[in-house]
Amino acid sequence: MKEAIVHPGPKVEIVDSPIPKPGPDQVVTKVIVSGSNPKDWKVPTWMNISVNQGDDIAGVVHEVGDNVVEFKPGDRVAAFHEMREPGGSYAEYAVSWQHTTMHIPKSTSFEEAAAIPLAALTAANGLYLSNRLALPQPWTPASTSIPLVVYGASSAVGSYALQFAARSNIHPLICIAGRAQAHVEALIDRSKGDTIIDYRAGDAAIVQGMKDALKGAKLEFAFDAVSEKGSFQNISQVLDPHGRITLVLPNADYSAIPDSMTKSTTRVGDVHGDAKDFGYAYFRYIARGLAQGWFKPQPQEVVPGGLAGIQTALEDLKAGKASAVKYVFRIAETKGVGKD
């Protein structure tokens, strides 16, 4: 099969590899569409490694392990591949654990499904895990006002955080966004105090905008889906001294956040560790949300060329060109696909 290896740079190399075999609790999927994430170019540079960085799988089940009962060959599925492990989604076939695999509703396309796994689970982890923001779960929604700042609201993680938070009846949602404000507008409810603040107006305007949106209420929760370029410094000027903030960049210097505040780094990889049950529950809840229509995939842009398009996409992600969009790849467009 064809597989794309991402080297530091990023530099993408397409190689021939054997089709992977599933472990007892794993699913091997014939990838129809793969999604991408900013970490796909960042991690090879940060860690000086060269691996298949794709983690967002959408396709048809090829083979399942002996312990798998929920899925069978031919099922339409989406899955979150375990990061930095063999069998990533930048290939004709990819591997996932059954607890981070879900059925795709008939109404959801493979392109839409490929835009969901990593970012949606990141959003859920940050909002709901007890060692993150620990907000009310969607099935036990809040009964009182809970202001929440989502910084980077038009990003995939931010957009999914808004949808989950609205399902949890968390309002007002104070959304920091830029040129993709129309996308954010479709996800919020102005009648409940939700608002958008344009980060392009500058730090002082962002801080004042957050204060104005609170209308005198305390801000006790913030989800920083940017975690750089002044984001958490701005939040810290408004967040209650004993509030909670969760951030998304690992190994960053967050010393500017006052010690009295509870800060955490949201690591989506926890669903392949201590948070396996959480990942299992939320992946199935996402599938239900797609079927019911309240959970919407981040808009997608299909990059031509299949695996050959990954180089361009990662370069564009590195350059910050993506706005309210997920770059996805149709594997069948790859030259030489199907010649195992």
Side-chain angles (χ1 to χ4, degrees):
M1 69 170 187
K2 297 297 180 183
E3 179 177 26
I5 305 299
V6 183
H7 303 279
K11 176 64 177 176
V12 179
E13 177 188 15
I14 299 176
V15 300
D16 291 307
S17 301
I19 295 174
K21 298 293 292 184
D25 295 292
Q26 292 181 324
V27 177
V28 171
T29 297
K30 179 178 174 59
V31 185
I32 306 300
V33 181
S34 172
S36 60
N37 294 281
K39 68 98 198 155
D40 297 351
W41 72 263
K42 293 178 179 179
V43 169
T45 300
W46 289 344
M47 302 184 69
N48 193 30
I49 57 174
S50 298
V51 295
N52 177 342
Q53 283 289 336
D55 296 316
D56 288 341
I57 302 166
V60 176
V61 173
H62 171 70
E63 186 178 2
V64 301
D66 291 343
N67 295 339
V68 177
V69 296
E70 194 174 349
F71 307 98
K72 65 183 185 303
D75 286 348
R76 299 173 74 249
V77 297
F80 174 42
H81 164 260
E82 184 172 2
M83 295 184 293
R84 299 191 299 278
E85 291 296 319
S89 67
Y90 290 162
E92 293 183 65
Y93 296 86
V95 178
S96 61
W97 294 94
Q98 61 175 328
H99 73 277
T100 52
T101 304
M102 69 177 185
H103 291 282
I104 303 174
K106 292 180 180 179
S107 58
T108 301
S109 69
F110 288 120
E111 289 79 9
E112 291 171 326
I116 293 170
L118 183 148
L121 285 176
T122 302
N125 284 13
L127 291 173
Y128 301 122
L129 281 175
S130 60
N131 56 353
R132 304 297 189 270
L133 297 185
L135 287 161
Q137 306 281 350
W139 42 85
T140 52
S143 57
T144 59
S145 175
I146 302 179
L148 171 68
V149 162
V150 178
Y151 212 112
S154 67
S155 69
V157 171
S159 297
Y160 293 139
L162 293 179
Q163 295 184 63
F164 281 131
R167 192 72 176 174
S168 291
N169 196 34
I170 295 168
H171 298 283
L173 296 170
I174 302 169
C175 310
I176 317 301
R179 63 184 185 272
Q181 293 182 42
H183 168 69
V184 177
E185 193 72 52
L187 302 175
I188 65 174
D189 187 344
R190 292 277 184 173
S191 72
K192 296 183 178 180
D194 298 351
T195 192
I196 302 172
I197 299 166
D198 192 334
Y199 70 79
R200 295 171 296 182
D203 293 339
I206 294 170
V207 171
Q208 189 59 51
M210 288 190 283
K211 291 178 178 178
D212 293 344
L214 289 165
K215 302 185 188 307
K218 280 186 179 181
L219 176 65
E220 297 182 281
F221 303 97
F223 195 130
D224 188 350
V226 176
S227 305
E228 60 182 354
K229 301 177 181 176
S231 60
F232 53 87
Q233 291 91 336
N234 291 337
I235 292 170
S236 296
Q237 293 185 57
V238 185
L239 190 65
D240 183 81
H242 300 287
R244 300 171 73 104
I245 178 173
T246 195
L247 307 108
V248 297
L249 292 184
N251 306 316
D253 180 3
Y254 296 132
S255 60
I257 300 172
D259 291 339
S260 65
M261 298 175 181
T262 300
K263 60 179 179 286
S264 61
T265 302
T266 290
R267 299 183 299 269
V268 67
D270 287 353
V271 299
H272 289 127
D274 294 341
K276 286 182 179 178
D277 289 349
F278 181 92
Y280 176 92
Y282 263 93
F283 228 40
R284 280 137 191 83
Y285 191 63
I286 290 166
R288 187 165 187 249
L290 289 168
Q292 292 178 339
W294 61 263
F295 194 81
K296 306 290 187 184
Q298 186 78 339
Q300 314 92 52
E301 179 179 325
V302 178
V303 182
L307 297 177
I310 296 172
Q311 180 72 49
T312 298
L314 297 190
E315 289 174 354
D316 286 351
L317 285 171
K318 184 176 181 178
K321 293 183 179 180
S323 178
V325 69
K326 272 282 194 181
Y327 295 138
V328 301
F329 317 97
R330 293 174 178 145
I331 304 304
E333 294 180 2
T334 309
K335 185 177 179 181
V337 150
K339 298 176 181 177
D340 301 332

